[in-house]
Amino acid sequence: MNSIGIAPAKIILFGEHAVVYGRAAIAVPVTQVCATVTIAPSPQSEKDNIHIQANEIHLDSEFADLEQDHPLASAIRAFQAYTGIENIPACNIEISSTIPVASGMGSGAAVSVALFRALADFLKHSLSDEEISRLTFEIEKIHHGTPSGIDNTVIAYQTPVYFIKGEAPQTFNLAYPLHIVIGDSGVASPTAITVGDVRHAWQVEPHRFEAMFDAIGEITCAARRAIEEGQMQALGQLMNDNHAILRDLGVSSPELEKLVKAARKAGALGAKLSGGGRGGNMIALAPPSKIDDIAKALSAAGARRAICTIVK
Ligand code: PMV
């Protein structure tokens, strides 16, 4: 019997970058796209032979032949070290994902979570969401350098989270579902680079950057209240306010600005970049009657694709 692990993508609604510096952020899962890992036993193959295939990244290799610091090899070794399982029986591990890469949707974290879930099932070793989140965080450090931990948390728990680095994630209730249109700028932008640039700028001008992080933290806190109380107009305005500060932090781009403007013009209650920035995705809060108009406006403004998701 095959073992299957699935993990959703995520978007950050509020608080990216400031979350690295201890302020609150809100992230939600996006189930329209996902990472899937399938492990099939291969008893006919040589003892303990683990074959790994990931077509999207053109990987077709034996586990033993992967570079030491390859994120997939690191993930398998981290799983073994944590569970104490030394020998994994011969198997084929197939990894696929519909999550756009390097676009702020947590594709790396989703692959790790799906892999840990599949390995846990294959090796009959149950792992809690919290354990999967912690293991994934270790792998995120290889991708991102200094991740806050928000990606692994929201993807492992698969629920909206209010997140402060180093604290247990808080879940909360939404008064109404949120209709979010996600526009992909099509520009790949590794998070490690934008996070590194913000860190450098913060070192040069600590007071200015701390003040901007504080302002983002306050916006995130107000946004949680607006979501819990169903104040959609206010929530949209808070997205716009958060975007303006992200622009001042230096993580927007001409492509993202064009998409954000197009979404607002097409009737979005608010719009902002989401994730590391400079490329990747932006998000728009849509009144249900305007979802199609906003998606079309994003495509016309150059979005590679628009994903509509409902956050509940
Ligand atoms: O993975 P991304 O691109 O959504 O970025 C994560 C958000 C950051 O705050 C920029 C970094 C982090 O580790 O929290």
Side-chain angles (χ1 to χ4, degrees):
M1 257 261 280
N2 291 354
S3 296
I4 299 179
I6 298 179
K10 73 98 202 4
I11 46 171
I12 295 183
L13 291 187
F14 289 92
E16 50 274 271
H17 288 290
V19 69
V20 175
Y21 299 82
R23 275 58 163 200
I26 294 174
V28 298
V30 176
T31 50
Q32 279 77 2
V33 282
C34 63
T36 306
V37 174
T38 307
I39 306 184
S42 50
Q44 72 282 14
S45 101
E46 277 174 37
K47 189 177 172 297
D48 298 345
N49 203 18
I50 304 173
H51 187 82
I52 305 188
Q53 209 180 330
N55 291 339
E56 278 100 14
I57 54 165
H58 310 292
L59 178 75
D60 192 350
S61 169
E62 299 306 318
F63 169 51
D65 296 338
L66 288 179
E67 303 262 331
Q68 275 291 312
D69 61 352
H70 191 288
L72 293 171
S74 308
I76 293 172
R77 276 199 309 276
F79 180 91
Q80 289 180 293
Y82 184 74
T83 58
I85 297 173
E86 276 174 29
N87 293 320
I88 299 179
C91 61
N92 273 310
I93 302 181
E94 199 186 315
I95 298 162
S96 65
S97 173
T98 51
I99 306 173
V101 175
S103 64
M105 293 191 77
S107 64
V111 167
S112 297
V113 168
L115 178 57
F116 291 134
R117 285 204 204 294
L119 283 169
D121 184 70
F122 184 61
L123 298 162
K124 308 276 173 278
H125 186 105
S126 110
L127 288 178
S128 67
D129 291 344
E130 209 245 317
E131 289 175 302
I132 287 181
S133 176
R134 262 196 285 129
L135 279 169
T136 301
F137 183 58
E138 294 308 312
I139 310 307
E140 285 291 282
K141 287 189 203 161
I142 302 172
H143 288 292
H144 287 204
T146 55
S148 62
I150 192 167
D151 280 23
N152 49 286
T153 302
V154 64
I155 290 171
Y157 286 82
Q158 299 192 64
T159 187
V161 294
Y162 182 85
F163 178 87
I164 298 173
K165 192 168 139 182
E167 295 183 10
Q170 299 173 36
T171 53
F172 57 95
N173 293 324
L174 288 72
Y176 303 111
L178 304 179
H179 296 265
I180 305 282
V181 185
I182 306 166
D184 182 356
S185 71
V187 179
S189 173
T191 302
I193 295 182
T194 53
V195 169
D197 288 353
V198 170
R199 181 166 297 276
H200 180 71
W202 168 73
Q203 281 161 347
V204 175
E205 288 184 282
H207 296 301
R208 191 162 89 86
F209 275 71
E210 283 294 326
M212 289 193 279
F213 297 148
D214 279 342
I216 292 177
E218 279 158 28
I219 288 171
T220 302
C221 187
R224 177 179 172 166
R225 268 200 310 278
I227 294 171
E228 287 174 330
E229 292 168 9
Q231 296 165 4
M232 295 298 166
Q233 297 285 347
L235 189 62
Q237 185 56 49
L238 289 164
M239 285 171 84
N240 293 342
D241 295 346
N242 192 165
H243 181 75
I245 304 175
L246 287 164
R247 196 193 300 133
D248 292 346
L249 286 180
V251 295
S252 192
S253 68
E255 293 84 359
L256 287 168
E257 288 302 313
K258 198 168 167 198
L259 296 180
V260 163
K261 275 197 197 108
R264 289 178 189 156
K265 199 160 163 230
L269 298 171
K272 64 183 276 293
L273 71 85
S274 175
R278 296 265 173 78
N281 286 290
M282 51 69 66
I283 55 174
L285 179 64
S289 62
K290 298 279 185 190
I291 294 170
D292 286 348
D293 291 350
I294 295 168
K296 278 191 200 123
L298 289 177
S299 297
R304 178 171 294 175
R305 74 167 163 170
I307 298 171
C308 306
T309 189
I310 302 178
V311 184
K312 291 183 187 152

